[in-house]
Amino acid sequence: MELLSVAEMTCADALAVKDGGDSFALMQRAGQAVAAAAQVLAPSGDIVVVAGRGNNGGDGFIAAADLAARGRNVAVALLCNPETLTGDAARAAKEWHGPLLPFVPRSLGKPALVIDALFGAGLDREVKDEPRAMIEAINASGALVLAVDLPSGVNGNSGEAMGVAVQATRTVTFFRKKPGHLLLPGRLHCGKVSVADIGIPPRVLDVIHPKTFENDPAWWRGHFPVPGIAGHKYGRGHAVVMSGGMAETGAARLAARAALRAGAGLVTVASPRDALAVNAAALTSVMVREIGTAVDFASYLEDARLNACVIGPGAGIGLRTRDMVLTALSGPRAVVLDADALTSFADMPQTLFDAIAAQPGAQAVLTPHEGEFARLFASLANKDHLLSKLERARLAARESNAVVLIKGADTVVAAPDGRASIAENAPPWLATAGAGDALSGMIGGMLAQRVSAFEAASIAVWMHGEAARMFGPGLIAEDLADVLPNVFRDLYRRFDVNL
């Protein structure tokens, strides 16, 4: 579940050695894990290991020796003179007695498998010269490719391709995944990722205290709301979704139905008068109430049972939406701000951030896509080429005092305290109009059930992706809420919940 940065993984290795481990034994286990994966991926045919000068290359030498001992025809193409290797990598190279090829593209030949052990996860510079030519040759070879730790050229922290990157068929990493395995475009280069146990004791995580997690049910299981047999609808919270004018009501209804399906006990659409009839005619289990002004909204929110608000989907951009947002933030309730609510503060973001900071309980979730993020967090967007999506989400959460969710195929959720989750379960057909409105409603439904903001957003993101995966191609936003019962059933089985 934990994702380790490059520095944290280095620390894990060091702690394992300090705890009585042997660094070369760790390398041996890593190389043996690579060899085992190679044998499964390519049971026959020639194998070429492309090795670099660091420990990643050392892993490659160990894998080569193991595969040769199994009777495979293996050769190693090494980036540098073997005499210049140091430490464990030098020791691993001395144990290799097979062919050592020149580090040129033609050395690849026509193998069944290339093992990419060129660069590790810590690469932070653009790939140039001979390594670039070799990576391009690997990608053009037509061979299966097994990457060691991370495809060479991908930055382990950001997922960025540093000029060029290996396109792997499979990747074997060690102890824990890195953010670069999940963030785009890195994830697209990895193929299927497996994590090998190389003997690093899990207790090292108690020292590292990682704050980045793969967004998976195993991580948030303890926060997942399960209704009690003796419960009632008011115990599961009451979410309010703000609607815009008559021509902009669909988004609010998508959010409202998703909030109800996500488990909120009651959901009301707060609607201006001109849209009241449209909303009422299209909704059944979701209630509708006329709310024309911020004064009306403030009066309505005096009912303490209204514990979650969703504002933004189809709300309209401008003063009315800003006033509604500030009104919602003035009391002790959870608030989801999406779409028009975010854009309405594009010219005055600090006003929004100050209101969130002053909110009793401070349970606010902002859900921008990249365009909305750029408008609301202009200073961070201007550094887009310097900061990863994970870094931008963390900085935005700290700046805004809110949980920030940056949507996409690799949705990142970040909390002001530095915790973050990265999702990888969104299928391509989830990119459809209205899907974000349904997501904001699902977050609102989780918040209504009194799930804390960071966990509520992360759970909703995963369920959103899982609902889309279950439905399959042809998905439209209206389908998401209707598939949620199936998602719940699967989660209850996974969590062994007996209702």
Side-chain angles (χ1 to χ4, degrees), residues 294-358:
V295 174
D296 297 335
F297 196 31
S299 177
Y300 181 47
L301 292 179
E302 289 177 1
D303 185 342
R305 294 175 297 180
L306 305 172
N307 65 325
C309 289
V310 179
I311 305 177
I317 299 170
L319 179 60
R320 177 182 182 273
T321 297
R322 286 201 300 271
D323 287 345
M324 296 298 185
V325 168
L326 297 175
T327 299
L329 289 170
S330 65
R333 65 189 61 83
V335 180
V336 183
L337 303 179
D338 184 31
D340 292 349
L342 302 175
T343 303
S344 291
F345 284 92
D347 295 332
M348 47 192 305
Q350 197 58 49
T351 299
L352 174 61
F353 302 159
D354 290 344
I356 293 171

Side-chain angles (χ1 to χ4, degrees), residues 49-335:
V49 178
V50 178
R53 56 172 54 92
N55 285 347
N56 203 245
D59 297 339
F61 274 113
I62 298 293
D66 189 283
L67 287 163
R70 298 174 188 231
R72 301 299 298 272
N73 185 25
V74 187
V76 176
L78 179 62
L79 173 62
C80 59
N81 186 319
E83 300 301 320
T84 64
L85 295 174
T86 60
D88 291 336
R91 183 175 173 184
K94 288 177 181 177
E95 295 193 3
W96 171 245
H97 304 294
L100 201 60
L101 306 176
F103 194 82
V104 292
R106 67 174 179 273
S107 293
L108 290 179
K110 297 293 183 181
L113 176 68
V114 174
I115 295 178
D116 164 30
L118 182 54
F119 296 127
L123 183 70
D124 60 358
R125 63 190 181 281
E126 186 176 352
V127 179
K128 298 180 179 179
D129 305 323
E130 292 89 350
R132 184 183 185 100
M134 183 62 85
I135 289 175
E136 289 172 343
I138 291 172
N139 290 343
S141 69
L144 296 170
V145 180
L146 178 63
V148 178
D149 194 20
L150 202 73
S152 291
V154 173
N155 181 285
N157 289 333
S158 69
E160 181 183 357
M162 309 302 288
V164 66
V166 166
Q167 189 65 54
T169 311
R170 288 196 60 180
T171 297
V172 177
T173 192
F174 314 111
F175 185 55
R176 293 296 186 272
K177 293 179 185 177
K178 320 299 184 296
H181 288 116
L182 275 68
L183 293 170
L184 297 182
R187 190 173 89 214
L188 303 179
H189 287 267
C190 290
K192 183 178 180 181
V193 180
S194 59
V195 181
D197 178 4
I198 60 173
I200 298 176
R203 61 179 173 271
V204 304
L205 298 174
D206 296 334
V207 178
I208 296 171
H209 298 296
K211 288 191 171 185
T212 310
F213 304 91
E214 183 172 355
N215 191 346
D216 181 87
W219 163 58
W220 41 255
R221 174 177 179 170
H223 300 273
F224 187 69
V226 177
I229 293 174
H232 53 84
K233 62 185 178 183
Y234 291 106
R236 294 168 64 187
H238 189 158
V240 179
V241 179
M242 181 63 60
S243 172
M246 185 170 61
E248 302 172 311
T249 58
R253 291 198 299 273
L254 284 170
R257 291 192 72 250
L260 199 60
R261 284 290 196 194
L266 304 95
V267 177
T268 296
V269 169
S271 174
R273 177 175 293 181
D274 70 329
L276 199 62
V278 174
N279 281 323
L283 296 168
T284 49
S285 53
V286 173
M287 297 175 285
V288 179
R289 183 183 180 99
E290 181 183 345
I291 299 292
T293 67
V295 174
D296 297 335
F297 196 31
S299 177
Y300 181 47
L301 292 179
E302 289 177 1
D303 185 342
R305 294 175 297 180
L306 305 172
N307 65 325
C309 289
V310 179
I311 305 177
I317 299 170
L319 179 60
R320 177 182 182 273
T321 297
R322 286 201 300 271
D323 287 345
M324 296 298 185
V325 168
L326 297 175
T327 299
L329 289 170
S330 65
R333 65 189 61 83
V335 180

